Amino acid sequence: MNNNLRYALAAARLTTTDVAAALAVDPKTVARWLAGRTPYPRHRWAIADLLHIDEADLWPEAAQRHRALADGVEAIYPHRWSVPQRVWHNLFQGATEEIGILAYSALFLAEDRGLINTLATRANAGVKTRILLGAPDSAEVAGRGTDEGIGATVMAARIQNALTLYSPLFGLQGVEIRLHSTVLYNSIYRADDELLVNTHAYATPAANAPVMHLRRTDEHGPAAAYLTSFRRAWDTGLPYRHNT
């Protein structure tokens, strides 16, 4: 019997049918979770998001596997889509000095208006914010679109869409947006000393590739390599000139 889950559902005034509908599963599946069966990770994270609580509060023993795996490695998620939305929000909300985004489009972030508002709030609080996206007309962007099987023009269109959605950040003090023409082996999302690194794999959309949650512990830890990568890509980028 999972009393933690039972009490959390009662506090949120949700029934098994409500949870089943939200997660697109059978109500009998939810009943089995209440009886003590541990859900798959994607379902645990979805329930935690639904209830606005931490996964560890519902399944302490299962959450252990997402704790630090090694010095500087906090967690590894099998796919970008399996990273709980609260993890992205918590990452950027916790920034006090610097936020960095390095990707081709990062459209999934730009489409989250709440997250855009968070970036704006942190920028207004004095957090330096650097966003580095692929140059839509570059050969590298075209190549990535072809590799993913979506086509060069679709990848370029995603970047244009992202730039449009990032428009609330234009003109804010401390926010700078650049376009790069580099071959990315990873997309990097940084908030101070914490990073979410989305690996890239040939012929695989970034959303389906793993994500590492890293924390900078020293100059020789795993996070240091990605921070260096970000800096070098940033130095090659050109300022984005948006229409005012």
Side-chain angles (χ1 to χ4, degrees):
M1 183 74 68
N2 189 333
N3 288 323
N4 291 349
L5 178 58
R6 188 175 300 277
Y7 296 149
L9 291 181
R13 297 184 179 180
L14 294 176
T15 67
T16 56
T17 303
D18 296 328
V19 176
L23 275 63
V25 299
D26 192 292
K28 293 180 181 178
T29 299
V30 181
R32 285 193 287 268
W33 296 339
L34 287 168
R37 179 174 295 183
T38 301
Y40 289 120
R42 67 179 183 275
H43 290 142
R44 295 200 306 269
W45 301 331
I47 293 172
D49 281 349
L50 180 66
L51 298 174
H52 303 290
I53 58 179
D54 195 270
E55 175 195 359
D57 294 331
L58 300 174
W59 298 280
E61 67 291 340
Q64 290 288 336
R65 72 189 63 178
H66 292 294
R67 294 183 180 175
L69 305 175
D71 189 30
V73 182
E74 299 292 313
I76 297 178
Y77 299 93
H79 313 283
R80 194 188 70 199
W81 55 258
S82 68
V83 180
Q85 199 68 4
R86 60 182 171 78
V87 171
W88 296 102
H89 282 263
N90 290 344
L91 176 75
F92 295 118
Q93 285 173 351
T96 60
E97 297 180 0
E98 183 172 352
I99 286 173
I101 295 172
L102 169 60
Y104 279 122
S105 72
L107 183 59
F108 75 102
L109 291 184
E111 290 176 330
D112 186 336
R113 186 51 189 262
L115 196 144
I116 295 296
N117 292 340
T118 293
L119 294 178
T121 298
R122 301 318 300 147
N124 287 328
V127 175
K128 181 180 180 181
T129 302
R130 297 186 294 178
I131 300 174
L132 186 58
L133 305 181
D137 58 352
S138 68
E140 290 74 16
V141 164
R144 180 60 186 175
T146 300
D147 291 346
E148 288 193 7
I150 61 174
T153 58
V154 173
M155 181 61 74
R158 286 182 176 179
I159 296 170
Q160 295 288 6
N161 288 345
L163 289 168
T164 298
L165 293 170
Y166 278 122
S167 61
L169 304 177
F170 297 164
L172 294 184
Q173 184 68 31
V175 175
E176 187 175 356
I177 299 177
R178 293 185 182 182
L179 301 178
H180 68 84
S181 298
T182 61
V183 175
L184 288 187
Y185 302 102
N186 307 273
S187 296
I188 301 172
Y189 306 91
R190 176 197 184 183
D192 298 338
D193 289 334
E194 286 195 61
L195 296 85
L196 289 174
V197 178
N198 185 188
T199 64
H200 290 187
Y202 181 74
T204 301
N208 290 340
V211 171
M212 297 179 290
H213 185 175
L214 307 178
R215 184 183 301 275
R216 179 169 61 178
T217 55
D218 56 47
E219 294 306 313
H220 303 289
Y226 296 101
L227 291 172
T228 298
S229 177
F230 184 96
R231 286 193 295 269
R232 291 184 178 178
W234 181 260
D235 289 342
T236 69
L238 299 176
Y240 172 62
R241 307 298 182 187
H242 59 88
N243 296 323
T244 57

